[in-house]
Amino acid sequence: MEETISLRNLFQVLRKRLWLIILITIIVATISGVISFFVLTPVYESKTQILVNQAKNDEQLYNAQTVQTNVQLISTYNDIIKSPAILDKVIKELKLDRSAQSLSGQIQVTNAQNSQVAQIVVQDTSAKRATEIANMTASVFKKEVPKIMNVDNVSVLSKATLGESASPVKPQPLLNIAIAAVVGLIVGVGLSFLLEYLDNTLKTEQDIENLLELPVMGVITTIKDVPKVTNVQRPDVTARVPQRGETLGS
């Protein structure tokens, strides 16, 4: 019984402060939409693929040990691609106004498990510049890796291309608004329960019974406001001062 009453009270609190929950949700979602559409700078993404393979003859192409060696080398190549030895040359070729460390934060190198193909992913506020950085990074790495590792087993599998209608990968306004709406809903519900917890005023007879643990013997009904008594106008009385020689009655 207590659990049912408690659950009912929870729904009563939500119903009583439903306007507050809806208001907070709308405000938070609106702020998120404004920031996503008008404040945050769109970021574009471009990808290029490189192949790590020492294919000097047909036998070596399908040699399992050689393939495994190439796969293990990709982990090393991932670090080399994001190193200043490669990125400094990319910055110089493209005349970028940023450091190698800053450019490294824009580049991500990934590869599937047991795959000889590595993918260079570049994110930038310009779709054209992201494509140029991706292609130049792959080109410079292919040129410099024989000097660094004393091996020549890297080839560019596919170059990054700039689409006619490139769309940003972030921010994602609809996703941000949805997340903000959920957060606003949670905040609104939490604030409603907090206000209800801090409200210690007595509003109903049940509140008095719960506080005093005594039955209510009587209730005073609400007394309506008594209308004010309007002023009654008295007839005008004109007083005249008697002249000399006149009596008061004349």
Side-chain angles (χ1 to χ4, degrees), residues 55-87:
K56 296 183 179 179
N57 52 58
D58 293 339
E59 293 181 359
Q60 191 175 17
L61 178 61
Y62 298 101
N63 190 307
Q65 184 177 358
T66 303
V67 172
Q68 186 63 30
T69 301
N70 292 331
V71 171
Q72 293 175 355
L73 280 174
I74 290 181
S75 299
T76 303
Y77 288 168
N78 292 351
D79 296 332
I80 296 176
I81 290 174
K82 300 179 66 174
S83 67
I86 303 298
L87 298 184

PDB file of all heavy atoms in Angstrom, residues 55-87:
ATOM      1  N   ALA A  55      55.113  -6.900 -52.523  1.00  0.00           N
ATOM      2  CA  ALA A  55      54.734  -7.833 -53.588  1.00  0.00           C
ATOM      3  C   ALA A  55      55.764  -7.763 -54.712  1.00  0.00           C
ATOM      4  O   ALA A  55      55.563  -7.141 -55.738  1.00  0.00           O
ATOM      5  CB  ALA A  55      53.352  -7.496 -54.117  1.00  0.00           C
ATOM      6  N   LYS A  56      56.855  -8.424 -54.522  1.00  0.00           N
ATOM      7  CA  LYS A  56      57.899  -8.452 -55.546  1.00  0.00           C
ATOM      8  C   LYS A  56      57.721  -9.609 -56.508  1.00  0.00           C
ATOM      9  O   LYS A  56      58.188  -9.568 -57.626  1.00  0.00           O
ATOM     10  CB  LYS A  56      59.273  -8.519 -54.874  1.00  0.00           C
ATOM     11  CG  LYS A  56      59.580  -7.274 -54.040  1.00  0.00           C
ATOM     12  CD  LYS A  56      60.971  -7.346 -53.441  1.00  0.00           C
ATOM     13  CE  LYS A  56      61.272  -6.098 -52.630  1.00  0.00           C
ATOM     14  NZ  LYS A  56      62.618  -6.154 -52.016  1.00  0.00           N
ATOM     15  N   ASN A  57      57.044 -10.674 -56.046  1.00  0.00           N
ATOM     16  CA  ASN A  57      56.746 -11.770 -56.947  1.00  0.00           C
ATOM     17  C   ASN A  57      55.474 -12.461 -56.460  1.00  0.00           C
ATOM     18  O   ASN A  57      54.965 -12.183 -55.381  1.00  0.00           O
ATOM     19  CB  ASN A  57      57.909 -12.777 -57.017  1.00  0.00           C
ATOM     20  CG  ASN A  57      58.351 -13.232 -55.632  1.00  0.00           C
ATOM     21  OD1 ASN A  57      57.557 -13.771 -54.879  1.00  0.00           O
ATOM     22  ND2 ASN A  57      59.624 -12.987 -55.303  1.00  0.00           N
ATOM     23  N   ASP A  58      54.968 -13.388 -57.257  1.00  0.00           N
ATOM     24  CA  ASP A  58      53.703 -14.033 -56.923  1.00  0.00           C
ATOM     25  C   ASP A  58      53.792 -14.884 -55.669  1.00  0.00           C
ATOM     26  O   ASP A  58      52.849 -14.971 -54.889  1.00  0.00           O
ATOM     27  CB  ASP A  58      53.241 -14.908 -58.093  1.00  0.00           C
ATOM     28  CG  ASP A  58      52.886 -14.054 -59.306  1.00  0.00           C
ATOM     29  OD1 ASP A  58      52.617 -12.852 -59.098  1.00  0.00           O
ATOM     30  OD2 ASP A  58      52.904 -14.577 -60.438  1.00  0.00           O
ATOM     31  N   GLU A  59      54.917 -15.519 -55.449  1.00  0.00           N
ATOM     32  CA  GLU A  59      55.048 -16.364 -54.269  1.00  0.00           C
ATOM     33  C   GLU A  59      55.005 -15.542 -52.996  1.00  0.00           C
ATOM     34  O   GLU A  59      54.366 -15.904 -52.018  1.00  0.00           O
ATOM     35  CB  GLU A  59      56.349 -17.172 -54.336  1.00  0.00           C
ATOM     36  CG  GLU A  59      56.358 -18.199 -55.460  1.00  0.00           C
ATOM     37  CD  GLU A  59      57.652 -18.993 -55.457  1.00  0.00           C
ATOM     38  OE1 GLU A  59      58.518 -18.700 -54.592  1.00  0.00           O
ATOM     39  OE2 GLU A  59      57.804 -19.869 -56.306  1.00  0.00           O
ATOM     40  N   GLN A  60      55.685 -14.409 -53.042  1.00  0.00           N
ATOM     41  CA  GLN A  60      55.740 -13.579 -51.837  1.00  0.00           C
ATOM     42  C   GLN A  60      54.405 -12.884 -51.571  1.00  0.00           C
ATOM     43  O   GLN A  60      54.068 -12.550 -50.457  1.00  0.00           O
ATOM     44  CB  GLN A  60      56.849 -12.527 -51.991  1.00  0.00           C
ATOM     45  CG  GLN A  60      57.159 -11.798 -50.681  1.00  0.00           C
ATOM     46  CD  GLN A  60      58.330 -10.869 -50.825  1.00  0.00           C
ATOM     47  OE1 GLN A  60      58.724 -10.510 -51.931  1.00  0.00           O
ATOM     48  NE2 GLN A  60      58.905 -10.481 -49.711  1.00  0.00           N
ATOM     49  N   LEU A  61      53.598 -12.672 -52.637  1.00  0.00           N
ATOM     50  CA  LEU A  61      52.322 -12.006 -52.484  1.00  0.00           C
ATOM     51  C   LEU A  61      51.377 -12.793 -51.574  1.00  0.00           C
ATOM     52  O   LEU A  61      50.651 -12.230 -50.785  1.00  0.00           O
ATOM     53  CB  LEU A  61      51.679 -11.801 -53.869  1.00  0.00           C
ATOM     54  CG  LEU A  61      50.287 -11.139 -53.888  1.00  0.00           C
ATOM     55  CD1 LEU A  61      50.352  -9.744 -53.300  1.00  0.00           C
ATOM     56  CD2 LEU A  61      49.732 -11.120 -55.309  1.00  0.00           C
ATOM     57  N   TYR A  62      51.426 -14.132 -51.700  1.00  0.00           N
ATOM     58  CA  TYR A  62      50.519 -14.959 -50.922  1.00  0.00           C
ATOM     59  C   TYR A  62      51.232 -15.675 -49.779  1.00  0.00           C
ATOM     60  O   TYR A  62      50.728 -16.651 -49.257  1.00  0.00           O
ATOM     61  CB  TYR A  62      49.846 -15.986 -51.837  1.00  0.00           C
ATOM     62  CG  TYR A  62      49.001 -15.338 -52.910  1.00  0.00           C
ATOM     63  CD1 TYR A  62      49.477 -15.216 -54.209  1.00  0.00           C
ATOM     64  CD2 TYR A  62      47.746 -14.829 -52.610  1.00  0.00           C
ATOM     65  CE1 TYR A  62      48.706 -14.609 -55.193  1.00  0.00           C
ATOM     66  CE2 TYR A  62      46.966 -14.227 -53.585  1.00  0.00           C
ATOM     67  CZ  TYR A  62      47.461 -14.121 -54.876  1.00  0.00           C
ATOM     68  OH  TYR A  62      46.705 -13.524 -55.846  1.00  0.00           O
ATOM     69  N   ASN A  63      52.404 -15.210 -49.418  1.00  0.00           N
ATOM     70  CA  ASN A  63      53.129 -15.781 -48.292  1.00  0.00           C
ATOM     71  C   ASN A  63      52.508 -15.275 -47.005  1.00  0.00           C
ATOM     72  O   ASN A  63      52.472 -14.068 -46.737  1.00  0.00           O
ATOM     73  CB  ASN A  63      54.613 -15.377 -48.374  1.00  0.00           C
ATOM     74  CG  ASN A  63      55.441 -16.141 -47.360  1.00  0.00           C
ATOM     75  OD1 ASN A  63      55.130 -16.160 -46.177  1.00  0.00           O
ATOM     76  ND2 ASN A  63      56.504 -16.769 -47.835  1.00  0.00           N
ATOM     77  N   ALA A  64      51.998 -16.202 -46.189  1.00  0.00           N
ATOM     78  CA  ALA A  64      51.297 -15.810 -44.966  1.00  0.00           C
ATOM     79  C   ALA A  64      52.209 -15.066 -44.000  1.00  0.00           C
ATOM     80  O   ALA A  64      51.782 -14.118 -43.343  1.00  0.00           O
ATOM     81  CB  ALA A  64      50.710 -17.050 -44.291  1.00  0.00           C
ATOM     82  N   GLN A  65      53.468 -15.479 -43.926  1.00  0.00           N
ATOM     83  CA  GLN A  65      54.398 -14.819 -43.008  1.00  0.00           C
ATOM     84  C   GLN A  65      54.662 -13.387 -43.440  1.00  0.00           C
ATOM     85  O   GLN A  65      54.730 -12.479 -42.608  1.00  0.00           O
ATOM     86  CB  GLN A  65      55.709 -15.609 -42.954  1.00  0.00           C
ATOM     87  CG  GLN A  65      56.713 -15.044 -41.944  1.00  0.00           C
ATOM     88  CD  GLN A  65      57.972 -15.898 -41.856  1.00  0.00           C
ATOM     89  OE1 GLN A  65      58.075 -16.931 -42.518  1.00  0.00           O
ATOM     90  NE2 GLN A  65      58.914 -15.468 -41.031  1.00  0.00           N
ATOM     91  N   THR A  66      54.769 -13.165 -44.749  1.00  0.00           N
ATOM     92  CA  THR A  66      55.009 -11.811 -45.253  1.00  0.00           C
ATOM     93  C   THR A  66      53.801 -10.920 -45.000  1.00  0.00           C
ATOM     94  O   THR A  66      53.935  -9.755 -44.617  1.00  0.00           O
ATOM     95  CB  THR A  66      55.320 -11.859 -46.758  1.00  0.00           C
ATOM     96  OG1 THR A  66      56.437 -12.708 -46.983  1.00  0.00           O
ATOM     97  CG2 THR A  66      55.631 -10.464 -47.277  1.00  0.00           C
ATOM     98  N   VAL A  67      52.623 -11.477 -45.222  1.00  0.00           N
ATOM     99  CA  VAL A  67      51.403 -10.706 -44.971  1.00  0.00           C
ATOM    100  C   VAL A  67      51.304 -10.317 -43.503  1.00  0.00           C
ATOM    101  O   VAL A  67      50.970  -9.178 -43.168  1.00  0.00           O
ATOM    102  CB  VAL A  67      50.160 -11.519 -45.404  1.00  0.00           C
ATOM    103  CG1 VAL A  67      48.885 -10.803 -44.960  1.00  0.00           C
ATOM    104  CG2 VAL A  67      50.151 -11.731 -46.908  1.00  0.00           C
ATOM    105  N   GLN A  68      51.622 -11.244 -42.610  1.00  0.00           N
ATOM    106  CA  GLN A  68      51.564 -10.954 -41.187  1.00  0.00           C
ATOM    107  C   GLN A  68      52.583  -9.891 -40.804  1.00  0.00           C
ATOM    108  O   GLN A  68      52.316  -9.022 -39.967  1.00  0.00           O
ATOM    109  CB  GLN A  68      51.802 -12.236 -40.382  1.00  0.00           C
ATOM    110  CG  GLN A  68      51.625 -12.076 -38.881  1.00  0.00           C
ATOM    111  CD  GLN A  68      50.205 -11.700 -38.510  1.00  0.00           C
ATOM    112  OE1 GLN A  68      49.262 -12.072 -39.197  1.00  0.00           O
ATOM    113  NE2 GLN A  68      50.046 -10.948 -37.430  1.00  0.00           N
ATOM    114  N   THR A  69      53.739  -9.931 -41.427  1.00  0.00           N
ATOM    115  CA  THR A  69      54.762  -8.911 -41.171  1.00  0.00           C
ATOM    116  C   THR A  69      54.269  -7.533 -41.596  1.00  0.00           C
ATOM    117  O   THR A  69      54.464  -6.531 -40.889  1.00  0.00           O
ATOM    118  CB  THR A  69      56.060  -9.255 -41.917  1.00  0.00           C
ATOM    119  OG1 THR A  69      56.527 -10.531 -41.484  1.00  0.00           O
ATOM    120  CG2 THR A  69      57.127  -8.209 -41.650  1.00  0.00           C
ATOM    121  N   ASN A  70      53.611  -7.464 -42.765  1.00  0.00           N
ATOM    122  CA  ASN A  70      53.079  -6.193 -43.245  1.00  0.00           C
ATOM    123  C   ASN A  70      51.991  -5.656 -42.313  1.00  0.00           C
ATOM    124  O   ASN A  70      51.904  -4.453 -42.067  1.00  0.00           O
ATOM    125  CB  ASN A  70      52.520  -6.362 -44.659  1.00  0.00           C
ATOM    126  CG  ASN A  70      53.617  -6.635 -45.672  1.00  0.00           C
ATOM    127  OD1 ASN A  70      54.756  -6.205 -45.499  1.00  0.00           O
ATOM    128  ND2 ASN A  70      53.281  -7.355 -46.732  1.00  0.00           N
ATOM    129  N   VAL A  71      51.157  -6.561 -41.803  1.00  0.00           N
ATOM    130  CA  VAL A  71      50.102  -6.152 -40.876  1.00  0.00           C
ATOM    131  C   VAL A  71      50.704  -5.571 -39.605  1.00  0.00           C
ATOM    132  O   VAL A  71      50.230  -4.557 -39.071  1.00  0.00           O
ATOM    133  CB  VAL A  71      49.176  -7.337 -40.557  1.00  0.00           C
ATOM    134  CG1 VAL A  71      48.211  -6.982 -39.426  1.00  0.00           C
ATOM    135  CG2 VAL A  71      48.390  -7.757 -41.794  1.00  0.00           C
ATOM    136  N   GLN A  72      51.740  -6.184 -39.093  1.00  0.00           N
ATOM    137  CA  GLN A  72      52.389  -5.685 -37.880  1.00  0.00           C
ATOM    138  C   GLN A  72      53.083  -4.347 -38.134  1.00  0.00           C
ATOM    139  O   GLN A  72      53.166  -3.503 -37.233  1.00  0.00           O
ATOM    140  CB  GLN A  72      53.395  -6.723 -37.377  1.00  0.00           C
ATOM    141  CG  GLN A  72      52.729  -8.014 -36.878  1.00  0.00           C
ATOM    142  CD  GLN A  72      53.744  -9.077 -36.503  1.00  0.00           C
ATOM    143  OE1 GLN A  72      54.951  -8.902 -36.699  1.00  0.00           O
ATOM    144  NE2 GLN A  72      53.266 -10.192 -35.941  1.00  0.00           N
ATOM    145  N   LEU A  73      53.569  -4.151 -39.356  1.00  0.00           N
ATOM    146  CA  LEU A  73      54.223  -2.888 -39.681  1.00  0.00           C
ATOM    147  C   LEU A  73      53.249  -1.711 -39.687  1.00  0.00           C
ATOM    148  O   LEU A  73      53.658  -0.565 -39.479  1.00  0.00           O
ATOM    149  CB  LEU A  73      54.909  -2.989 -41.046  1.00  0.00           C
ATOM    150  CG  LEU A  73      56.265  -3.683 -41.092  1.00  0.00           C
ATOM    151  CD1 LEU A  73      56.744  -3.820 -42.531  1.00  0.00           C
ATOM    152  CD2 LEU A  73      57.302  -2.931 -40.258  1.00  0.00           C
ATOM    153  N   ILE A  74      51.982  -1.984 -39.934  1.00  0.00           N
ATOM    154  CA  ILE A  74      51.008  -0.897 -40.014  1.00  0.00           C
ATOM    155  C   ILE A  74      50.935  -0.129 -38.696  1.00  0.00           C
ATOM    156  O   ILE A  74      50.797   1.098 -38.680  1.00  0.00           O
ATOM    157  CB  ILE A  74      49.616  -1.453 -40.404  1.00  0.00           C
ATOM    158  CG1 ILE A  74      49.645  -1.917 -41.860  1.00  0.00           C
ATOM    159  CG2 ILE A  74      48.531  -0.405 -40.208  1.00  0.00           C
ATOM    160  CD1 ILE A  74      48.321  -2.462 -42.349  1.00  0.00           C
ATOM    161  N   SER A  75      51.044  -0.823 -37.573  1.00  0.00           N
ATOM    162  CA  SER A  75      51.030  -0.147 -36.270  1.00  0.00           C
ATOM    163  C   SER A  75      52.186   0.842 -36.165  1.00  0.00           C
ATOM    164  O   SER A  75      52.026   1.949 -35.632  1.00  0.00           O
ATOM    165  CB  SER A  75      51.105  -1.174 -35.142  1.00  0.00           C
ATOM    166  OG  SER A  75      50.003  -2.053 -35.179  1.00  0.00           O
ATOM    167  N   THR A  76      53.337   0.434 -36.680  1.00  0.00           N
ATOM    168  CA  THR A  76      54.485   1.347 -36.686  1.00  0.00           C
ATOM    169  C   THR A  76      54.258   2.487 -37.657  1.00  0.00           C
ATOM    170  O   THR A  76      54.570   3.652 -37.364  1.00  0.00           O
ATOM    171  CB  THR A  76      55.764   0.579 -37.073  1.00  0.00           C
ATOM    172  OG1 THR A  76      55.953  -0.501 -36.172  1.00  0.00           O
ATOM    173  CG2 THR A  76      56.975   1.496 -37.015  1.00  0.00           C
ATOM    174  N   TYR A  77      53.699   2.188 -38.809  1.00  0.00           N
ATOM    175  CA  TYR A  77      53.430   3.220 -39.804  1.00  0.00           C
ATOM    176  C   TYR A  77      52.434   4.256 -39.296  1.00  0.00           C
ATOM    177  O   TYR A  77      52.520   5.433 -39.656  1.00  0.00           O
ATOM    178  CB  TYR A  77      52.904   2.581 -41.083  1.00  0.00           C
ATOM    179  CG  TYR A  77      53.952   1.826 -41.874  1.00  0.00           C
ATOM    180  CD1 TYR A  77      53.594   0.980 -42.914  1.00  0.00           C
ATOM    181  CD2 TYR A  77      55.301   1.957 -41.579  1.00  0.00           C
ATOM    182  CE1 TYR A  77      54.543   0.281 -43.648  1.00  0.00           C
ATOM    183  CE2 TYR A  77      56.267   1.259 -42.298  1.00  0.00           C
ATOM    184  CZ  TYR A  77      55.885   0.420 -43.324  1.00  0.00           C
ATOM    185  OH  TYR A  77      56.836  -0.259 -44.032  1.00  0.00           O
ATOM    186  N   ASN A  78      51.490   3.809 -38.473  1.00  0.00           N
ATOM    187  CA  ASN A  78      50.511   4.749 -37.920  1.00  0.00           C
ATOM    188  C   ASN A  78      51.184   5.856 -37.120  1.00  0.00           C
ATOM    189  O   ASN A  78      50.806   7.035 -37.205  1.00  0.00           O
ATOM    190  CB  ASN A  78      49.516   4.006 -37.027  1.00  0.00           C
ATOM    191  CG  ASN A  78      48.622   3.071 -37.809  1.00  0.00           C
ATOM    192  OD1 ASN A  78      48.620   3.083 -39.041  1.00  0.00           O
ATOM    193  ND2 ASN A  78      47.855   2.247 -37.112  1.00  0.00           N
ATOM    194  N   ASP A  79      52.180   5.472 -36.345  1.00  0.00           N
ATOM    195  CA  ASP A  79      52.914   6.469 -35.563  1.00  0.00           C
ATOM    196  C   ASP A  79      53.785   7.344 -36.452  1.00  0.00           C
ATOM    197  O   ASP A  79      53.937   8.541 -36.199  1.00  0.00           O
ATOM    198  CB  ASP A  79      53.775   5.770 -34.512  1.00  0.00           C
ATOM    199  CG  ASP A  79      52.930   5.027 -33.482  1.00  0.00           C
ATOM    200  OD1 ASP A  79      51.785   5.449 -33.236  1.00  0.00           O
ATOM    201  OD2 ASP A  79      53.411   4.004 -32.943  1.00  0.00           O
ATOM    202  N   ILE A  80      54.359   6.756 -37.487  1.00  0.00           N
ATOM    203  CA  ILE A  80      55.229   7.526 -38.388  1.00  0.00           C
ATOM    204  C   ILE A  80      54.427   8.567 -39.154  1.00  0.00           C
ATOM    205  O   ILE A  80      54.876   9.702 -39.353  1.00  0.00           O
ATOM    206  CB  ILE A  80      55.967   6.579 -39.359  1.00  0.00           C
ATOM    207  CG1 ILE A  80      56.908   5.659 -38.585  1.00  0.00           C
ATOM    208  CG2 ILE A  80      56.749   7.377 -40.395  1.00  0.00           C
ATOM    209  CD1 ILE A  80      57.600   4.626 -39.449  1.00  0.00           C
ATOM    210  N   ILE A  81      53.217   8.199 -39.591  1.00  0.00           N
ATOM    211  CA  ILE A  81      52.394   9.130 -40.369  1.00  0.00           C
ATOM    212  C   ILE A  81      52.083  10.392 -39.568  1.00  0.00           C
ATOM    213  O   ILE A  81      52.085  11.501 -40.118  1.00  0.00           O
ATOM    214  CB  ILE A  81      51.090   8.425 -40.798  1.00  0.00           C
ATOM    215  CG1 ILE A  81      51.390   7.358 -41.847  1.00  0.00           C
ATOM    216  CG2 ILE A  81      50.082   9.432 -41.361  1.00  0.00           C
ATOM    217  CD1 ILE A  81      50.197   6.510 -42.230  1.00  0.00           C
ATOM    218  N   LYS A  82      51.881  10.257 -38.269  1.00  0.00           N
ATOM    219  CA  LYS A  82      51.515  11.403 -37.434  1.00  0.00           C
ATOM    220  C   LYS A  82      52.725  12.056 -36.779  1.00  0.00           C
ATOM    221  O   LYS A  82      52.566  12.909 -35.893  1.00  0.00           O
ATOM    222  CB  LYS A  82      50.515  10.959 -36.363  1.00  0.00           C
ATOM    223  CG  LYS A  82      49.233  10.381 -36.940  1.00  0.00           C
ATOM    224  CD  LYS A  82      48.272   9.930 -35.865  1.00  0.00           C
ATOM    225  CE  LYS A  82      47.760  11.099 -35.074  1.00  0.00           C
ATOM    226  NZ  LYS A  82      46.702  10.737 -34.107  1.00  0.00           N
ATOM    227  N   SER A  83      53.904  11.674 -37.199  1.00  0.00           N
ATOM    228  CA  SER A  83      55.126  12.229 -36.619  1.00  0.00           C
ATOM    229  C   SER A  83      55.526  13.508 -37.347  1.00  0.00           C
ATOM    230  O   SER A  83      55.146  13.724 -38.505  1.00  0.00           O
ATOM    231  CB  SER A  83      56.259  11.205 -36.700  1.00  0.00           C
ATOM    232  OG  SER A  83      56.622  10.984 -38.055  1.00  0.00           O
ATOM    233  N   PRO A  84      56.311  14.380 -36.701  1.00  0.00           N
ATOM    234  CA  PRO A  84      56.782  15.598 -37.359  1.00  0.00           C
ATOM    235  C   PRO A  84      57.597  15.322 -38.616  1.00  0.00           C
ATOM    236  O   PRO A  84      57.642  16.185 -39.516  1.00  0.00           O
ATOM    237  CB  PRO A  84      57.636  16.279 -36.276  1.00  0.00           C
ATOM    238  CG  PRO A  84      57.085  15.759 -34.988  1.00  0.00           C
ATOM    239  CD  PRO A  84      56.680  14.344 -35.270  1.00  0.00           C
ATOM    240  N   ALA A  85      58.245  14.160 -38.710  1.00  0.00           N
ATOM    241  CA  ALA A  85      59.036  13.840 -39.899  1.00  0.00           C
ATOM    242  C   ALA A  85      58.183  13.851 -41.160  1.00  0.00           C
ATOM    243  O   ALA A  85      58.656  14.203 -42.247  1.00  0.00           O
ATOM    244  CB  ALA A  85      59.693  12.472 -39.730  1.00  0.00           C
ATOM    245  N   ILE A  86      56.924  13.499 -41.046  1.00  0.00           N
ATOM    246  CA  ILE A  86      56.004  13.506 -42.180  1.00  0.00           C
ATOM    247  C   ILE A  86      55.186  14.790 -42.212  1.00  0.00           C
ATOM    248  O   ILE A  86      55.062  15.443 -43.261  1.00  0.00           O
ATOM    249  CB  ILE A  86      55.059  12.287 -42.113  1.00  0.00           C
ATOM    250  CG1 ILE A  86      55.868  10.992 -42.064  1.00  0.00           C
ATOM    251  CG2 ILE A  86      54.098  12.290 -43.288  1.00  0.00           C
ATOM    252  CD1 ILE A  86      56.739  10.748 -43.274  1.00  0.00           C
ATOM    253  N   LEU A  87      54.640  15.188 -41.075  1.00  0.00           N
ATOM    254  CA  LEU A  87      53.714  16.315 -41.051  1.00  0.00           C
ATOM    255  C   LEU A  87      54.400  17.648 -41.312  1.00  0.00           C
ATOM    256  O   LEU A  87      53.773  18.562 -41.874  1.00  0.00           O
ATOM    257  CB  LEU A  87      52.980  16.354 -39.706  1.00  0.00           C
ATOM    258  CG  LEU A  87      52.110  15.124 -39.405  1.00  0.00           C
ATOM    259  CD1 LEU A  87      51.346  15.321 -38.101  1.00  0.00           C
ATOM    260  CD2 LEU A  87      51.146  14.834 -40.549  1.00  0.00           C
TER     261      LEU A  87
END
